[in-house]
Amino acid sequence: MTHRFSKHAVQVLQPLAAAATLALAPMVAQAQAAPTQLWVDLSTSTMTGMPDMLQGGVGGMIGGLFGGGRGGGGSQTYGHASGRFIQQGSGSSLTGAFPPNRVIDLALYNPRRPGTEAALAIPPTMGMGEQLPLVPPSPSFKEPGESAPGEVPEVKGRLLVYWGCGDKVRPGQPRVINLASNPAQWAPVLAGRHAPERAARVGAQHALYPNEKNTVNPKADTSLVGEHQVLGEGVPASMRFQLGERQDLMSAIRLQSQGPLAESIQLSWLTVPRAHAYHLHAMGAVGQDMVLWSSAENGDAGLGLFDYLTESTSAKWVKDKVLLSPGTTECAVPQGIFASPGGEAGGAMLRMIAYGPESYLSHPARPANAPKSWQPEWSVRVRTKSQTMAMLGMDMGGMAGGSGNDSTPTEAQAEKPSGLPGAAGSILRGIFGR
């Protein structure tokens, strides 16, 4: 049977349908809106063997050596100027530039009011006030990669690549690269694996911490354990969540280093609670040559591994002998790789990372068999890591991540690693400076 509506009926129904559509539109839009997202990156960084009060001095000088081209600004820097935001892929929270010793990086995406100021209400255990302001980046903010690359200088000398823990240099090492050759010929040798890039691409639609309103950094006794709530226009009223020990700042790496550069350097450390893998890397200079060493057993140069990693990725890379297992507490740098054939020592700097857990919180919680189209009202991702730097060749036995006042490096010793060939260092920073 065919139903026909009179012209009068159509005239009556059309306004009703339009009214119903307008009434449903906000609910449909809300249902289709992307979830409100908060990224939280927590980094603990130290200079091994240096008292806490002096962590900023030497660290600020060397912080950019391993990739933090824009990082390492003082504790009063913020925003794009310091490059400290997790989403920029560089800076102190990523590379270990100093100061500060501990970093909390926050980025909020609120799809209902993008680029609007908000705040994170925090527990008293943080000792950073009642709230942390979340502020959009300044108009001059630039995402990584927007700046034109600098001119690569002409260089001479070689790059010597060693790998693996052990007292002696292994057969087949080092790989020798002529730095004067075309970088396209030798860059693949150094590329290795890279921590997957999983951070948000920050833009004007985000709200960030630290910022021009607040640059307070965590202290040694800061704890994130407790209730947090995101507050702001358009933020879901339900965006309240609990953080536990798993999501807290990690302990400092307590590293000991013994032995002169002309000998095998013995490294040992206390187990870092919650760490699920470790990696060590050293860079030094012997004459005109640059020397790289990685703790990876598979020959990976290790330049791209200093970032946050999920536990599944680190477990795979431990199995592949790229990373050290969480039960490892010692490693040795092969004998003499940072000394000239005549036994004269060059300069060498070591960095170490302990990968911490990552947590994903959401409301509502993700169902066991959620369809691909499922999305929560809001989500929070928390990533953690701990890292340290050490000047190799200094006897740091008995010291531990910021303790040991008797062996504070002198200014001359602190400047020693700057003996790296400048042009070669610039090339490496340009290629691998994430």
Side-chain angles (χ1 to χ4, degrees), residues 88-105:
Q88 294 189 42
S90 65
S92 59
S93 68
L94 183 62
T95 64
F98 306 95
N101 295 41
R102 292 167 178 81
V103 172
I104 294 178
D105 270 320

Side-chain angles (χ1 to χ4, degrees), residues 71-223:
S75 59
Q76 297 304 310
T77 60
Y78 53 83
H80 70 280
S82 68
R84 280 177 45 203
F85 293 131
I86 47 177
Q87 296 78 15
Q88 294 189 42
S90 65
S92 59
S93 68
L94 183 62
T95 64
F98 306 95
N101 295 41
R102 292 167 178 81
V103 172
I104 294 178
D105 270 320
L106 305 173
L108 175 70
Y109 173 63
N110 177 11
R112 295 166 183 81
R113 294 292 186 273
T116 301
E117 288 193 27
L120 178 66
I122 58 177
T125 53
M126 289 183 63
M128 299 171 66
E130 295 182 356
Q131 297 182 351
L132 299 180
L134 302 172
V135 180
S138 65
S140 58
F141 172 85
K142 289 185 178 181
E143 290 195 17
E146 291 186 20
S147 302
E151 181 180 353
V152 177
E154 181 181 357
V155 295
K156 298 181 181 180
R158 303 176 304 166
L159 186 63
L160 311 181
V161 183
Y162 298 85
W163 61 92
C165 298
D167 295 339
K168 304 295 183 182
V169 175
R170 302 181 186 188
Q173 297 189 29
R175 294 194 188 103
V176 180
I177 298 170
N178 183 0
L179 290 174
S181 63
N182 187 337
Q185 298 177 7
W186 49 262
V189 178
L190 299 179
R193 304 192 189 193
H194 278 77
E197 179 56 58
R198 298 172 297 111
R201 301 296 295 179
V202 163
Q205 73 276 17
H206 289 83
L208 312 172
Y209 181 90
N211 49 62
E212 60 270 18
K213 286 192 172 183
N214 193 330
T215 59
V216 176
N217 295 306
K219 300 178 181 179
D221 59 351
T222 292
S223 172

Side-chain angles (χ1 to χ4, degrees), residues 16 63 195 253 278 308:
L16 292 176
I253 297 175
Y278 301 101
Y308 299 91

